[in-house]
Amino acid sequence: MKNVGSVAAASGTQGGARLGAAPTPDISPLTPGAPAAAGLGSDSGTRGRIARLILENGPVTAAGLSARLGLTPAAVRRHLDCLLADGMVEARHARQYGARGRGRPARLFAM
């Protein structure tokens, strides 16, 4: 039985990479010159789609976003929490007309 570390060192590879293979580029959002919205991902990503809907349509609730995207309100809230933590959106309390029912109070999310 051979020691895997010595085999990699003897063959001139590091971390399983082959000799002559092109290195993988670092595409982290902190890369200099990256667009300011790199944390949002592309429009095809759910978080990017949520941010775009808020930007285009103004303040909206998680329930309103979930109806437009075809996702559960809990899934939308999870993405909104990440956007809140990143400082991309802000939350406001939605105005209530009449008696409020059960469940969590509605919040409006805006850019």
Side-chain angles (χ1 to χ4, degrees):
M1 184 173 219
K2 293 183 180 180
N3 186 350
V4 175
S6 63
V7 171
S11 64
T13 61
Q14 182 178 353
R18 295 178 307 160
L19 283 177
T24 57
D26 180 21
I27 54 172
S28 67
L30 300 177
T31 303
L40 295 178
S42 65
D43 285 349
S44 62
T46 304
R47 199 163 297 155
R49 290 175 31 211
I50 289 172
R52 179 156 309 281
L53 280 173
I54 294 171
L55 186 63
E56 290 175 352
N57 300 313
V60 66
T61 62
L65 287 169
S66 69
R68 289 184 180 179
L69 294 171
L71 299 170
T72 64
V76 171
R77 274 190 219 99
R78 184 175 175 195
H79 289 289
L80 287 168
D81 287 340
C82 290
L83 290 170
L84 279 168
D86 291 341
M88 300 297 289
V89 298
E90 62 181 27
R92 306 175 195 156
H93 289 285
R95 213 176 244 169
Q96 293 293 324
Y97 299 102
R100 190 176 83 74
R102 294 177 145 188
R104 64 176 76 193
R107 294 187 299 171
L108 288 173
F109 296 91
M111 289 297 230

